[in-house]
Amino acid sequence: MPMPLEGMPESRARPDDTGPGDSNTRANAQTLALGVIGNGSIAALIDGMARIVWCCLPRFDSDASFCALLSPQREGGDWIIELEHVERAEQEYLPNTAVLVTRLYDRHDNAIEITDFAPRHRSRGRFYHPVMLARRIRPIQGKPRIRILLRPLCDYGARAPETTSGSNHLRFLLSDVIQRLTTDVAVPLIERGLFFHLDRPAHLVFGPDETLVTSPADFIHSSLEYTIAYWRDWVRYLSIPYEWQEPVIRAAITLKLCQYEATGAIIAALTTSIPEAPGTRRNWDYRYCWLRDAAFVVRALNRLGATRSMEEYIRYVFNIFSAEGDHEVGPVFGITFERELPEREAAGLDGYRGMGPVRIGNDAWRQRQNDVYGSVVLASAQLFFDQRLENRGDARTFQRLESMGRMALRMAEEPDAGLWEFRGRAAVHTYSAAMCWAACDRLAHIATELGLKDRARYWHDEAVALHERISKRIWNERLGHFVDAYDGEHLDASLLLLADIGFVRGRDPRFIATVDAIGKALGRGDYLFRYIAPDDFGAPETSFNICTFWYIEALAATGRKRRARLMFEHMLAQRNPLGLLSEDIAPGTGEHWGNFPQTYSLVGLIQTAMRLSRRWEDEL
C-alpha cells in the first residue's frame, strides 16, 4: 500500500493525499488534487499517486465500483499501481487531451510512468467510447518494483465482487456490469497483489467482458494514438481567447467529459456527497442532469464553437419534453431521462474524509425551480441563428420551445425553491422570474428570425409586460439595489446575472448599485458567497466558485476591468494541480470543497476568460 499519512491507520489514509515528497501537491495536501479521464460513457478520478479512487460503472450515475474517495468501510474501492519505496510523484495531462500521465520515483532512483485514458475516437462512422479504462506502465529509470492492486467494490462499498480468472484476464461481477481486466502482466501477480520487477512496459485494459482481438499492448498503443488525435482535433477547432488558453482548454475538455454520449445529458459533477464545508451535512449527489447547469455548460461551449454538445443536449431535452406538454418541468433528471431520483444513504461508505452521509439520488427532483424554462430556451436559441449547423432550428422546433414559453408565463411569478434549491422555504425569486422573462424575450427574437411576425409580436408584448411587473417587485427603494425575491430585503449572487441575460444593461445605475452591494455583503476577499442569510442548514461557510466568476464578470461589465482581471488571476491560481475546480473554496485556506469537478465552476472560468481576454487582433 502507498505510505499512509503520519499518525493515520493505513486503511484510513485519504485517497486524494499525496506522497511525502510530491512537489505538485504537498503544499496543498488538503485540496481535491485529482485528475479526470473519461470518454462520454464513464469517467474516473485519479489522485496524484496514480490511484483510481472514483469511477462509476457502467455509467456516470451507476454504482461506484471505485469508491475510495468516499472512505469505504471495507478494504479496496481503488486501483493502485504502487512503486515500492515511492518518494515523489509528477503528474500532467498530455497537452490538449484527456490523457493523464503520472511519473513515480522511489528513493533508489528507480521510476515508472503511468499513462491513463479512456478510449474515445471515431471508428466506422461512429464514436467509439466503450466502458473501458486503459493503463500503460513503463519503466523509465533503473529497476523499479511495482505491484498492482485492482480492488473494485459493489453496492457503494458494501461488498466485494465475485471474481474469476483465466490465463490472461480477470473477471469482476460488479453490481451493474461484468468487467474484464485483460493484461500482459501475469495474472497471479495481480490476484495476489505481489511486487515484481517491471523490466518492460505493462498494459492493462479494464473493459467489457469480451476477448480482445489483439494483444493488450497493440490495443493500447493504437487506442492511445487515436484518442490523443481525437482530443487534439477537438481542441483545434475551439475558438479560444488570446489570453489564458491553457486554463480554458482544460476546462472545456473537462466539461466535454461530463456529457453522457448516449443521450446528450450533461451532469453537474462526477461525484456525490463531497461536502460544501468541513463537517457539514450539505452534501449532495450531483451525478444527474440539472437543466440549468447543463444550459450554462452549453452556452460556455457554444462560445468556444463546440456546438455539437448543444445539439446533443437539445436532443436530450426534447426527449424529456415530448412527454411533458404544457406542464411543470422538474429541475433535474437522470441521464437516461429518469424523472424520479429518490434520495437514500449509502451505509457502506463513511464519506469524504469520513464526513458522511453519502447520498445516492437527489430529492431536488421534487422541487419547483421556475428558471428551468428560460434555461432551456436560452440553451436552444443558437440553433436558430448559427448557420454552421447542419440541422438548424425551424418552425417545428420553435413550436416545441413555445411550450417552455407558455410555462414561463404561467410560473414566472409563482413561488419556487430558486436556483439554490432551498429545501425549507419558497418565494418568488428574482432570478427565476427574470429567466422566465428571458424565455419570452428569446422566443420573440427566434420568431423574428423565422419570419413568424404574429408570434414575434405576441412574445415581444408578453416579455415587455412581464419585465415591467418584475422590475417593480425586485427593486428595493430603501436599500437602493435589487433584491433576491419579490418585495425582499436580501441579496444573493444570482442578481449578478441580470445583465448577462439582458434583463438590465451593465451600466444601468441600479445594476451597478446592486453589484457594489453584493461585493460588500457577500464578498470575502477575492471570493464571493452565493448568499449569507441562514438557510435550512444554517449560514454557508464557503464561497461558491461560479458566484466569484459572476462577480468578476459583473465588475467588467460595469467598467472595472483592472479589479476584475486581478480577481480572475487569483481564481486561476486556486485551481488544483491539474487545472480543475470543485464547487466551493474555503476563503481562509483556499481549500477545495464540494463535488468535483464542478461544471458550474469551469463554466465560470471559460465565460470570464472570454470576457476579459485581450483580442488576438490587438496582439498580432
Side-chain angles (χ1 to χ4, degrees):
M1 287 287 292
M3 184 179 297
L5 293 178
E6 182 178 353
M8 293 182 66
E10 186 171 293
S11 63
R12 283 293 176 264
R14 293 192 294 266
D16 63 318
D17 283 317
T18 63
D22 182 357
S23 59
N24 276 335
T25 54
R26 177 63 172 168
N28 240 343
Q30 300 299 313
T31 66
L32 286 160
L34 305 170
V36 182
I37 61 170
N39 62 5
S41 291
I42 59 170
L45 300 185
I46 303 177
D47 75 3
M49 301 299 286
R51 294 175 286 190
I52 293 179
V53 297
W54 183 260
C55 182
C56 300
L57 296 170
R59 55 187 228 176
F60 297 149
D61 59 356
S62 296
D63 180 34
S65 302
F66 297 103
C67 55
L69 183 67
L70 298 186
S71 308
Q73 295 165 7
R74 303 178 62 92
E75 184 178 49
D78 52 13
W79 185 357
I80 298 171
I81 297 170
E82 181 183 357
L83 175 65
E84 191 174 39
H85 305 305
V86 65
E87 185 174 58
R88 63 186 179 91
E90 300 170 352
Q91 194 172 58
E92 63 185 355
Y93 281 106
L94 292 183
N96 299 343
T97 76
V99 177
L100 188 63
V101 177
T102 310
R103 285 174 285 276
L104 303 179
Y105 300 84
D106 72 15
R107 67 190 64 162
H108 304 298
D109 296 325
N110 303 305
I112 62 172
E113 179 184 83
I114 303 161
T115 301
D116 287 306
F117 69 101
R120 179 179 174 85
H121 54 84
R122 287 190 177 275
S123 177
R124 302 176 183 176
R126 297 173 294 177
F127 281 110
Y128 177 68
H129 50 96
V131 179
M132 179 183 291
L133 301 173
R135 316 194 78 177
R136 183 184 69 189
I137 317 166
R138 295 195 305 125
I140 58 174
Q141 189 171 298
K143 298 179 179 180
R145 277 171 52 86
I146 70 167
R147 66 171 172 172
I148 299 168
L149 300 175
L150 177 54
R151 309 182 299 183
L153 294 173
C154 297
D155 302 336
Y156 291 97
R159 61 182 178 87
E162 296 181 27
T163 63
T164 61
S165 63
S167 57
N168 296 291
H169 74 267
L170 286 165
R171 295 172 72 247
F172 296 83
L173 282 67
L174 304 176
S175 298
D176 302 315
V177 68
I178 299 174
Q179 291 285 111
R180 177 188 292 225
L181 175 72
T182 305
T183 180
D184 48 18
V185 175
V187 168
L189 298 179
I190 300 176
E191 283 185 299
R192 301 180 185 182
L194 302 177
F195 277 102
F196 62 94
H197 282 289
L198 184 70
D199 56 2
R200 69 194 72 179
H203 305 85
L204 304 107
V205 179
F206 187 67
D209 187 25
E210 303 167 357
T211 301
L212 288 183
V213 298
T214 186
S215 71
D218 288 343
F219 178 84
I220 285 183
H221 175 78
S222 60
S223 292
L224 178 59
E225 185 176 282
Y226 293 147
T227 299
I228 290 171
Y230 164 80
W231 284 112
R232 288 183 173 165
D233 190 59
W234 187 80
V235 167
R236 179 184 177 189
Y237 292 99
L238 295 179
S239 300
I240 59 175
Y242 171 73
E243 296 181 273
W244 308 300
Q245 295 179 38
E246 186 279 327
V248 168
I249 289 170
R250 181 55 47 206
I253 289 173
T254 308
L255 291 180
K256 184 65 177 174
L257 294 179
C258 292
Q259 184 165 39
Y260 186 58
E261 185 78 22
T263 63
I266 301 170
I267 59 174
L270 293 171
T271 60
T272 177
S273 302
I274 300 179
E276 296 177 13
T280 182
R281 288 183 64 86
R282 297 175 190 268
N283 55 350
W284 317 110
D285 192 347
Y286 277 14
R287 300 171 299 157
Y288 307 109
C289 184
W290 272 259
L291 301 185
R292 172 198 317 110
D293 299 45
F296 274 107
V297 172
V298 164
R299 292 174 65 195
L301 291 177
N302 280 354
R303 291 192 67 179
L304 295 174
T307 54
R308 184 174 178 273
S309 292
M310 170 185 63
E311 295 175 281
E312 296 301 312
Y313 172 64
I314 298 306
R315 176 167 58 88
Y316 169 81
V317 168
F318 283 167
N319 271 307
I320 290 173
F321 292 162
S322 62
E324 295 287 350
D326 288 4
H327 302 290
E328 286 193 51
V329 174
V332 57
F333 294 83
I335 61 175
T336 48
F337 318 119
E338 295 86 354
R339 286 169 170 76
E340 298 184 3
L341 304 170
E343 200 171 288
R344 61 185 176 87
E345 296 181 5
L349 299 174
D350 287 338
Y352 179 69
R353 303 184 189 171
M355 300 175 191
V358 172
R359 304 179 198 271
I360 311 302
N362 196 304
D363 277 344
W365 70 271
R366 305 176 188 275
Q367 292 186 348
R368 171 186 287 174
Q369 297 176 28
N370 294 331
D371 63 291
V372 298
Y373 309 108
S375 295
V376 170
V377 174
L378 263 64
S380 308
Q382 191 165 332
L383 283 172
F384 299 88
F385 298 93
D386 193 335
Q387 296 187 23
R388 298 171 298 173
L389 304 179
E390 287 187 22
N391 300 305
R392 294 181 61 193
D394 55 16
R396 183 178 179 183
T397 309
F398 172 72
Q399 289 175 358
R400 299 181 77 173
L401 280 184
E402 280 195 297
S403 67
M404 294 293 98
R406 289 189 288 270
M407 286 306 302
L409 282 174
R410 183 187 306 175
M411 306 305 297
E413 298 174 280
E414 292 294 322
D416 73 348
L419 82 165
W420 306 128
E421 301 187 341
F422 297 116
R423 293 197 171 196
R425 67 172 186 257
V428 181
H429 289 99
T430 298
Y431 179 74
S432 296
M435 285 296 288
C436 288
W437 164 84
C440 301
D441 177 75
R442 299 321 191 266
L443 286 170
H445 287 287
I446 293 168
T448 300
E449 176 70 12
L450 295 175
L452 305 173
K453 295 182 179 179
D454 289 345
R455 302 311 297 159
R457 172 54 57 186
Y458 170 80
W459 287 113
H460 170 79
D461 291 347
E462 292 290 356
V464 169
L466 181 56
H467 190 282
E468 184 176 354
R469 296 197 302 272
I470 295 171
S471 297
K472 290 178 180 178
R473 302 289 296 276
I474 67 173
W475 176 256
N476 187 305
E477 188 66 36
R478 181 179 63 83
L479 296 175
H481 56 69
F482 292 120
V483 288
D484 65 338
Y486 270 25
D487 307 320
E489 296 192 345
H490 298 293
L491 291 161
D492 81 54
S494 67
L495 297 171
L496 297 168
L497 294 174
L498 293 179
D500 180 68
I501 65 174
F503 190 86
V504 297
R505 296 185 182 276
R507 297 301 179 96
D508 186 318
R510 297 173 301 168
F511 182 67
I512 294 173
T514 303
V515 172
D516 291 343
I518 286 174
K520 183 177 180 180
L522 306 184
R524 299 293 184 273
D526 286 324
Y527 303 102
L528 199 84
F529 280 53
R530 52 188 163 174
Y531 52 85
I532 57 173
D535 59 17
D536 323 345
F537 298 90
E541 301 174 54
T542 52
S543 65
F544 206 68
N545 289 330
I546 196 171
C547 296
T548 303
F549 287 121
W550 289 345
Y551 182 65
I552 296 169
E553 283 200 80
L555 288 176
T558 55
R560 290 166 280 189
K561 288 191 175 182
R562 183 175 181 277
R563 170 65 174 148
R565 289 177 66 90
L566 289 173
M567 286 190 67
F568 183 58
E569 292 283 2
H570 176 266
M571 282 299 293
L572 290 181
Q574 306 313 305
R575 296 175 301 147
N576 82 359
L578 291 166
L580 305 181
L581 286 166
S582 62
E583 183 179 39
D584 308 273
I585 288 178
T589 64
E591 189 173 2
H592 287 217
W593 291 95
N595 282 309
F596 178 92
Q598 180 74 11
T599 56
Y600 253 167
S601 300
L602 299 172
V603 164
L605 187 157
I606 291 171
Q607 298 276 48
T608 309
M610 297 291 282
R611 176 180 284 274
L612 294 179
S613 175
R614 297 191 298 272
R615 300 184 307 165
W616 294 86
E617 295 84 354
D618 296 336
E619 306 299 326
L620 302 178

